[in-house]
Amino acid sequence: MKLLKLPLLAVLAILICFSCSTDSVDDKENTIVLSNDNIEAKAIETEILVLINDHRSALGLNSLQEMKIVKSVAFSHTDYMVDNEKISHDNFYTRSDYLKSNANAKKVSENVAYGYSSAKSVVDAWLRSEGHKANIEGDYTNFDISAEKSEDGRWYYTNIFIKK
């Protein structure tokens, strides 16, 4: 009986490792590539941040402050998603660790999205999702977003929240 338990435990351990990590096993992006600190905010990005803060304000929550380093990390991930033509949280822990080390973040979360063509539509979608809504309404101090269009005209979004 002991011999049967060992292979079963090994199989379970492998399945758990591959099914629940936000970092994929074959990550192509294993470092944070930051662009310069002067990334101009797009109108859609500014509108998303305003909509999120308006939602938080309506609930009596603090407004979140924008932060250039958070925007730069979000921009790096959005470019990764556009390049790979897929929405993902790949390398989330790399981004989180970077922000903890370089922005004094104590807590980090992110929302990603794809395909929404307006600020309102992407924020509304996040608010309909329990996990995304929890990030929007969470105990954070700063945030920022990157929205990039792919060659086929589809928008990709990375919205990162931190608590300092």
Side-chain angles (χ1 to χ4, degrees):
M1 190 64 163
K2 284 186 179 181
L3 291 175
L4 184 59
K5 286 183 181 177
L6 187 58
L8 181 59
L9 288 174
V11 169
L12 286 174
I14 290 169
L15 288 174
I16 289 169
C17 288
F18 287 111
S19 66
C20 61
S21 174
T22 56
D23 282 344
S24 71
V25 174
D26 61 344
D27 285 338
K28 294 176 186 160
E29 175 196 57
N30 50 10
T31 59
I32 302 290
V33 179
L34 298 179
S35 60
N36 68 35
D37 287 336
N38 297 321
I39 301 170
E40 292 270 338
K42 296 175 186 67
I44 194 167
E45 294 168 336
T46 301
E47 191 176 345
I48 290 168
L49 297 177
V50 168
L51 288 168
I52 289 171
N53 269 337
D54 286 351
H55 175 78
R56 289 177 61 86
S57 183
L59 297 175
L61 300 171
N62 64 302
S63 291
L64 303 177
Q65 302 302 309
E66 296 171 46
M67 196 171 188
K68 287 181 182 182
I69 191 170
V70 174
K71 181 167 195 63
S72 192
V73 171
F75 182 83
S76 175
H77 184 61
T78 305
D79 270 359
Y80 169 83
M81 291 191 302
V82 169
D83 289 347
N84 289 281
E85 298 178 343
K86 70 172 188 165
I87 185 171
S88 76
H89 290 285
D90 289 355
N91 300 298
F92 171 75
Y93 292 112
T94 302
R95 288 187 296 287
S96 177
D97 289 344
Y98 182 87
L99 290 168
K100 287 175 180 175
S101 295
N102 295 282
N104 298 317
K106 291 179 177 62
K107 183 168 112 176
V108 179
S109 70
E110 75 180 11
N111 289 345
V112 296
Y114 154 81
Y116 296 95
S117 59
S118 72
K120 183 167 175 20
S121 65
V122 73
V123 172
D124 286 348
W126 282 333
L127 290 173
R128 286 190 303 272
S129 163
E130 191 175 315
H132 294 103
K133 183 178 180 181
N135 288 341
I136 289 172
E137 296 175 357
D139 181 23
Y140 297 103
T141 55
N142 300 84
F143 71 157
D144 224 312
I145 190 160
S146 171
E148 298 297 324
K149 255 188 188 180
S150 64
E151 287 182 10
D152 64 2
R154 293 187 182 170
W155 285 98
Y156 287 78
Y157 304 89
T158 304
N159 186 197
I160 298 178
F161 303 84
I162 70 168
K163 177 178 181 157
K164 291 182 77 171

